[in-house]
Amino acid sequence: MAANQSLPVLVLKEGTSRSTGRDAQKANVMAAVTLAETIRSSLGPKGMDKMLVSSFGDVTITNDGATIVKEMDVQHPAAKMLVEVAKTQDQEVGDGTTTAVILAGALLKKAEELLEQDVHPTVIIEGYKNAMEKALATIDKTATAVDPTDKKMLKDAAITSLSGKSVVSGHYERLAQLVVDAIVQVAEKDGDKYKVDLENVKLEKKKGESLDQTELVKGVVLDKEVVHPGMPKVVADAKIAILDCALEIEKTEITAKINITNPEQMKSFLDEESVMLKNLVDSIANSGATVVVVQKGIDDIAQHYLAKKGIMAVRRAKRSDVESLARACGARIVTTVDDLTKADLGFAKNVEERRVGKDKMIFVEGCKNPKAVTILVRGGTDRMVDEAERSLYDAKCVVRNVVQDPWLVPGGGAPEEEVATKLREYG
């Protein structure tokens, strides 16, 4: 028994290092502060962009806090917590990710000084909680209520968000206006407040032209082209059918074999297939549809018949695009062609295939009261388009926040100063 007692018991796997107490606290704070320091220089209108190279060699150039921490390959568990801070801020608020990380880093740095004076961690946390409540109360006092439909106010808020982004500086007046118009278009009144679903403002990006060519489409832009060269490229006063099924002859669920003994049978078999497809197209035409957007495939023969009827068709549209289109033009998504009626069709003033950059895209414009719109982002290089999209996403979130919760605080660090002064008195 005595011999066994001297053997160490391994609880952790080999090669594991274990640090406790002061060392652990120091290491954790150090890691988090290092991450915050890395991001610090990208804050504000004079902030620097960061160039991030992934393990695959992909290069991202941005000063968007959330994007920087997502692209960084962070190993340390404490630093990973700060990455979570940025991600949560991005999901919930949409902007202010850099600030959130820097604040968290600064609070930890100060906590370390207190730890060195032998203040217990629980006491520090309690103090931070009290300070947070006081800070929130102070911010609420300094905030002024605004009218959520006041476009000038909303535009100012959007400009504040965009002016911190180096790529769009010089263009932010115009871009802010686009974002405000888009959000106001899709805002829905809910009692005496407004609700905005950000999914309804789609950002579609295409390289080419300049940032000035970025435009708001009161409708939806589909990154697809018309399936058949014989179809019309422009349809005015379009009646749009949206199908969640394939315009193809379905294969049977069970394995079946057909024995064909002579060529006539073969011909009648193939003819029957095209008759079935023709009937499908006829029922679409009978509903009065002039544009068909299909989420799955369209058979070649069906394409031919659609072209003969002068119907424009798009296949394999993304689920999200199909839903946006339905909201924009007021159509109902139909699962089988047999159910398609006139009441299911949506309406748009103009549906047109246009060449954008190297590709073709389909513009569905002039929907009556679209509850879904698209901002088509243009720019000279891929990096520029990507960064412009990230900047517009932030601005979109800011305007959404103001519309849903119409309070504004002064900018330029004034509320932070006020909070600091009040907390010093309180402390």
Side-chain angles (χ1 to χ4, degrees):
M1 188 65 191
N4 275 352
Q5 275 173 342
S6 61
L7 284 176
V9 179
L10 284 175
V11 182
L12 305 167
K13 70 168 189 253
E14 270 186 79
T16 309
S17 65
R18 180 164 173 263
S19 58
T20 54
R22 265 299 150 73
D23 296 342
Q25 285 169 348
K26 266 215 162 79
N28 286 343
V29 170
M30 184 73 193
V33 169
T34 308
L35 184 70
E37 287 289 325
T38 313
I39 292 185
R40 221 178 84 180
S41 58
S42 71
L43 182 71
K46 296 272 183 282
M48 303 286 199
D49 284 9
K50 299 266 172 274
M51 180 191 269
L52 307 157
V53 185
S54 75
S55 48
F56 301 114
D58 298 336
V59 177
T60 311
I61 298 175
T62 180
N63 69 1
D64 179 48
T67 311
I68 295 173
V69 294
K70 271 184 210 154
E71 293 289 334
M72 278 165 104
D73 192 9
V74 179
Q75 294 295 332
H76 197 287
K80 275 185 179 159
M81 300 290 280
L82 274 198
V83 174
E84 287 303 311
V85 167
K87 283 184 181 170
T88 311
Q89 175 79 1
D90 199 40
Q91 280 162 9
E92 291 299 316
V93 185
D95 197 9
T97 43
T98 314
T99 315
V101 174
I102 294 170
L103 267 177
L107 287 170
L108 282 167
K109 207 170 183 177
K110 287 289 175 199
E112 190 180 26
E113 291 173 15
L114 291 169
L115 286 171
E116 278 167 6
Q117 296 165 25
D118 283 334
V119 180
H120 196 277
T122 325
V123 178
I124 300 174
I125 293 165
E126 274 305 306
Y128 277 178
K129 276 187 180 158
N130 289 343
M132 180 187 78
E133 279 158 20
K134 183 74 179 164
L136 288 173
T138 311
I139 292 258
D140 286 344
K141 273 187 197 149
T142 56
T144 47
V146 292
D147 177 9
T149 55
D150 177 4
K151 282 190 172 178
K152 185 180 177 316
M153 230 18 169
L154 296 176
K155 186 178 170 185
D156 288 346
I159 286 177
T160 303
S161 168
L162 287 169
S163 59
K165 318 284 181 191
S166 54
V167 165
V168 294
S169 59
H171 302 269
Y172 48 71
E173 279 276 337
R174 188 167 172 281
L175 295 178
Q177 192 61 56
L178 291 185
V179 172
V180 171
D181 290 346
I183 297 284
V184 167
Q185 182 64 54
V186 301
E188 290 177 22
K189 213 164 171 53
D190 181 24
D192 50 359
K193 291 201 154 187
Y194 284 90
K195 253 198 4 240
V196 178
D197 181 1
L198 282 181
E199 290 291 309
N200 293 340
V201 178
K202 204 175 112 198
L203 292 171
E204 194 67 67
K205 55 184 182 185
K206 261 288 175 269
K207 189 176 87 168
E209 299 287 343
S210 75
L211 255 175
D212 281 338
Q213 254 45 53
T214 299
E215 58 176 317
L216 173 66
V217 179
K218 292 250 174 108
V220 172
V221 178
L222 300 172
D223 197 356
K224 295 279 168 198
E225 46 187 275
V226 175
V227 291
H228 192 281
M231 288 175 179
K233 299 282 186 260
V234 182
V235 179
D237 294 334
K239 294 182 177 59
I240 303 168
I242 301 179
L243 304 175
D244 184 14
C245 58
L247 291 183
E248 292 165 344
I249 300 297
E250 286 183 29
K251 303 276 181 284
T252 50
E253 290 290 325
I254 42 176
T255 350
K257 280 186 181 161
I258 298 169
N259 285 333
I260 289 175
T261 48
N262 61 18
E264 277 77 36
Q265 286 176 321
M266 182 75 191
K267 185 174 182 334
S268 63
F269 178 74
L270 290 171
D271 287 350
E272 184 53 37
E273 198 171 47
S274 46
V275 167
M276 286 166 82
L277 286 165
K278 189 173 189 306
N279 291 341
L280 274 181
V281 172
D282 285 344
S283 37
I284 290 173
N286 293 339
S287 71
T290 53
V291 175
V292 183
V293 177
V294 182
Q295 213 180 313
K296 299 185 173 78
I298 302 178
D299 193 289
D300 293 353
I301 300 170
Q303 289 179 26
H304 166 73
Y305 285 128
L306 284 165
K308 274 178 84 170
K309 296 258 185 213
I311 297 174
M312 182 199 275
V314 180
R315 67 173 165 188
R316 305 202 190 287
K318 286 205 306 247
R319 177 84 203 176
S320 56
D321 287 359
V322 165
E323 285 170 357
S324 295
L325 181 60
R327 277 195 297 263
C329 68
R332 196 172 74 88
I333 300 174
V334 179
T335 41
T336 62
V337 176
D338 305 337
D339 295 350
L340 187 66
T341 63
K342 208 170 182 158
D344 299 325
L345 302 179
F347 175 81
K349 254 282 191 300
N350 189 36
V351 178
E352 184 182 346
E353 180 187 85
R354 291 185 204 148
R355 187 170 279 290
V356 178
K358 283 183 179 172
D359 308 310
K360 291 174 181 163
M361 297 176 100
I362 291 170
F363 287 71
V364 182
E365 296 171 306
C367 304
K368 259 207 296 283
N369 188 16
K371 281 295 159 214
V373 295
T374 306
I375 296 177
L376 181 61
V377 186
R378 307 302 306 276
T381 62
D382 284 327
R383 304 230 175 358
M384 194 158 185
V385 180
D386 291 345
E387 181 65 352
E389 185 196 27
R390 284 190 281 267
S391 309
L392 285 169
Y393 172 77
D394 286 0
K396 186 170 96 160
C397 294
V398 166
V399 178
R400 186 257 331 241
N401 297 342
V402 179
V403 169
Q404 287 188 352
D405 187 16
W407 291 84
L408 288 178
V409 290
E416 288 87 341
E417 280 292 329
E418 179 66 17
V419 167
T421 313
K422 287 278 184 285
L423 283 182
R424 278 197 195 96
E425 289 169 13
Y426 179 58

